[in-house]
Amino acid sequence: MPNYGEVFKELRINRNLTLSQLADEEVSIAQLSRFERGESDLSISKFFHALDKMHLTADEFMDRVHDYKRIDQISLMSQMAKRHYQSDVAGLE
């Protein structure tokens, strides 16, 4: 199973962003740091919030997780997660 925190850190660094630039009242520097080190997970809402602050979609993140190999199931899961986060019941249907 891929370490999502490592991928998150790689993408953050590639965008020249610091943890303090991503942290806010929703997610702390400590939470992000523990996530990047693989010591803890982020809730789905905090994860999507952090991705949004990096101007990164769940699809783009998952593409990197899988070395940019598109897998239909992953694409579907990313779309479902996005719809869930947006409370888009019609989109989930």
Side-chain angles (χ1 to χ4, degrees):
M1 181 171 190
N3 183 335
Y4 297 114
E6 286 179 3
V7 173
F8 182 89
K9 181 177 182 177
E10 174 190 319
L11 292 168
R12 176 182 62 78
I13 290 170
N14 285 343
R15 286 172 169 66
N16 295 315
L17 294 168
T18 64
L19 289 174
S20 61
Q21 289 173 305
L22 296 180
D24 58 15
E25 65 281 346
E26 177 97 16
V27 60
S28 71
I29 291 171
Q31 288 173 312
L32 291 169
S33 180
R34 285 191 303 270
F35 175 63
E36 287 185 353
R37 292 191 311 266
E39 296 174 0
S40 68
D41 290 324
L42 293 176
S43 69
I44 192 83
S45 62
K46 289 181 181 189
F47 178 70
F48 281 126
H49 178 75
L51 288 181
D52 189 49
K53 289 191 80 169
M54 287 199 302
H55 304 286
L56 190 67
T57 68
D59 284 337
E60 291 168 324
F61 181 84
M62 292 308 292
D63 283 347
R64 173 56 196 97
V65 166
H66 295 284
D67 295 321
Y68 301 101
K69 297 175 188 167
R70 294 298 296 165
I71 300 172
D72 290 338
Q73 182 182 13
I74 293 166
S75 176
L76 175 62
M77 290 172 60
S78 294
Q79 291 173 23
M80 290 175 62
K82 180 179 177 183
R83 303 279 190 236
H84 172 74
Y85 179 71
Q86 296 173 338
S87 300
D88 181 359
V89 175
L92 283 169
E93 291 175 354

